[in-house]
Amino acid sequence: MTKISESVDLDRRGRVAVLTVNNPPVNALSQHVRRGLYDGLAQATADAGVDAIVIACAGRTFIAGADITEFGKPPTEPGLHAVLDRIEGSPKPVVAAIHGTALGGGLEVTLACHYRVGVKAARFGLPEVKLGILPGAGGTQRLPRVVGVEKALQMIVSGDPIGGDEALRVGLIDELVDGDLAAAGVAFAEKVVREKRPLKKIRDLTDKIAPARGKPEIFAEFRKSVARQTRGFRAPESCIKAVEAAVALPFDDGIKRERELFVELLNSAESKAQRYFFFAEREAAKIPDVPADTPPVDVKKAAVIGAGTMGGGIAMNFANAGIPVTVVEMSQEALDRGLGIVRKNYEATASRGRLTMADVEKRMGLIRGTLDWGAMADADIVIEAVFEEMPIKKEVFAKLDGIAKPGAVLATNTSTLDVNEIASATKRPESVVGTHFFSPANVMRLLENVRGTKSSKTAIATAMTVGRRIGKVPVLVGVCYGFVGNRMLHQRGLQAERLILEGALPHQVDKVLTDFGFPMGPFAMGDLAGLDVGWRIRKGRGATSPVADRICELGRFGQKTGAGYFRYEKGDRTPIPDPDVEKIITEVAAEQGITRRHIPDDEILERLLYPMVNEGAKILDEKIAIRASDVDVIWVYGYGWPVYRGGPMFWADSIGLRKLRDRLLEFKKRAGDAFWTPAPLLDRLADAGKGFLDR
Ligand SMILES: NC(=O)c1ccc[n+]([C@@H]2O[C@H](COP(=O)([O-])OP(=O)(O)OC[C@H]3O[C@@H](n4cnc5c(N)ncnc54)[C@H](O)[C@@H]3O)[C@@H](O)[C@H]2O)c1
């Protein structure tokens, strides 16, 4: 065996040379991998004793993509294009032997090979679009030539990988293999040599793209089919254009076009935001004083108290991850209702073909409903999701303290109550944390984990680890009213109310936010969540919100009653502006002596989002969030902030904090309201010419 570079070895098996990449953990395409492939190929092709070459990988996967540590750094030789040209131009057949995930540049390497074999469990994909870019090493030109235009469009624009069976069916691989992968690759290569098969260079193939020539309708239809999911993103359209080029242009011209589109995307605001966010999400997993090697409690069994809206969804998350979960309720009726909804949810998924009925039963089998609190005695984590009232929460935790095993993590799903006070009801406040799920809890990816003043590192590490295990994106926050997400949302809500009194209408306010990229605006969101919840809370506290209160007094609680801020046709969730609501708004405005005026869209946007940023600054100053990028992760995963705008703090930086702060001061002057006072941190950063992310 010869070492070609620090991560690539060359081995001879009979008359086949095997180049093995060994660059743990995921065999990323680092400079030394490219160097090793480049030089190794030269050696193998020059060796008269070699008839064919196999490229395979050690460890758990084939090359899974670019080396992210090289992002944003000057390119180093050899570039990926040079490596691919050498592979494709090899006078001896080159076979890729694939296991694990061949993604991005990894898949592009295999597409430069003359043949590909892979195991059934392997995954093949070009996920670049998820970073706001496109596969820039020939992927957009070669993939359609091997799998056809429609399949290539679908893979490149979604970024989602396909499995081994499908890869074989669509012609992406030549054979499914199993057992020792390198040996299987060698056997295949020997067959190619024996049968004198041609050097199949994908660049020269046209049979799969020819049928799409002169058929712009193929692309038009595809554009239409993805319009909704890709709205606001820039990369999907560029991906489509690149595939159009693959069809219309000779290979080398297509590669040039791909390059141009790639560079355009790389410099785009959207891609910068998406790449920033990619790292932001990874950062969120890091907690400065809880090192990654802090041992968490090994969660083998979970328990949930309360089978209501949230409890049922939380239990589903555990069952989906294969973790047995006990659900405790206070009455058989509530339990039956709660678990009935869980079953209905699963069955709905099954009816859409995304689960088998056997899966439904398996998951239901992992959820055990009971009225017996003793059933939680062996749970490693217990998540409380009962009514949002402090005395009830404290009673529940005091009782739980007497039952849960030592070391178990005791978590509360409270959205507004003080986690420290809840913890004080136990004799083990160090075991108590908040796990703030978002509704619907089985769907929403965000998990705000709340650190109490006494929460132990073990409890925190457990909440973070188990959060990831059940498919969530956990972000650690501190104790304050509303935590990070809802606290910022509240500021937006206050302005939304002001804006409709001053002259805007709910549909105008909502449209400004949907145009910005949110899936819906504050009023449609209120209608979806149900306006009665807030109304009851206000009544309990003696608070008012004149427009919302009047709407609720008419029995208009939102979608569930067919009307709220908007009205709804039966069986349709499209919000329709309602003159009755406009009347309420103008009446309330008149009662308050407000002269309504036209409010331009850009003012609406600033007034909705700048106060959120200002609140974010306070949250950072108070150390409720560890870092500005965590706030962004919360907003993208919990509230539908468009990822191509990074998140509120990234977005604020891109506007410039001085400009943003000065605008707050203008609003303050106009409204004479302390609401607009810039947060001290915002003020300091604005004066220093800095941003939240480089403070
Ligand atoms: N609904 C949301 O959107 C949302 C979002 C995030 C967090 N939360 C929080 O989650 C918690 C639960 O909210 P929800 O919307 O699921 O409420 P819910 O009213 O739908 O469900 C609460 C359930 O708890 C049960 N329960 C009450 N006391 C109990 C006790 N002593 N023992 C066992 N079961 C008991 C009730 O029977 C009920 O089924 C609250 O703290 C809430 O603030 C709610």
Side-chain angles (χ1 to χ4, degrees), residues 45 157-158 178 201-202 211 255 306 310 329 443 459 469 506 556 578 592 645 684 695:
T45 45
V157 172
S158 73
D178 50 23
K201 297 184 189 178
I202 291 179
I255 289 282
M310 296 305 287
E329 254 295 347
V443 176
R469 249 179 94 193
R556 303 175 61 124
D578 189 338
Q592 299 194 0
R645 294 190 202 273
R684 290 198 302 275
R695 72 198 169 104

Side-chain angles (χ1 to χ4, degrees), residues 4 10 12 15 17 19 37-53 86 89-92 94:
I4 306 289
L10 178 82
R12 277 278 299 277
R15 297 188 58 83
L19 282 169
L37 290 174
Y38 192 76
D39 293 348
L41 227 85
Q43 269 197 36
T45 45
D47 185 341
V50 167
D51 293 335
I53 299 139
R86 181 166 279 185
S90 158
K92 299 171 184 178
V94 184

Side-chain angles (χ1 to χ4, degrees), residues 60-108:
R60 60 181 157 97
T61 178
F62 194 80
I63 298 167
D67 180 345
I68 55 174
T69 63
E70 290 181 5
F71 279 19
K73 293 192 184 147
T76 48
E77 295 293 322
L80 186 52
H81 274 289
V83 177
L84 301 193
D85 286 346
R86 181 166 279 185
I87 295 175
E88 197 166 48
S90 158
K92 299 171 184 178
V94 184
V95 177
I98 306 155
H99 74 303
T101 46
L103 297 180
L107 188 66
E108 288 175 308

Side-chain angles (χ1 to χ4, degrees), residues 282-297 451 457-458 460-466 468 476 627:
R282 273 147 194 78
E283 272 299 292
K286 299 179 194 153
I287 300 156
D289 67 330
V290 185
D293 57 3
T294 308
V297 175
R451 176 180 202 157
K457 293 183 182 181
T458 308
I460 292 162
T462 307
M464 298 300 283
T465 311
V466 83
R468 280 189 291 275
L476 191 68
R627 46 183 92 80

Side-chain angles (χ1 to χ4, degrees), residues 145 149 205-219 244-251:
R145 284 176 159 80
V149 169
L205 304 179
T206 54
D207 56 320
K208 293 274 181 86
I209 50 172
R213 291 215 172 107
K215 291 217 180 105
E217 64 275 15
I218 295 180
F219 294 95
E244 278 176 328
V247 171
L249 303 177
F251 183 81

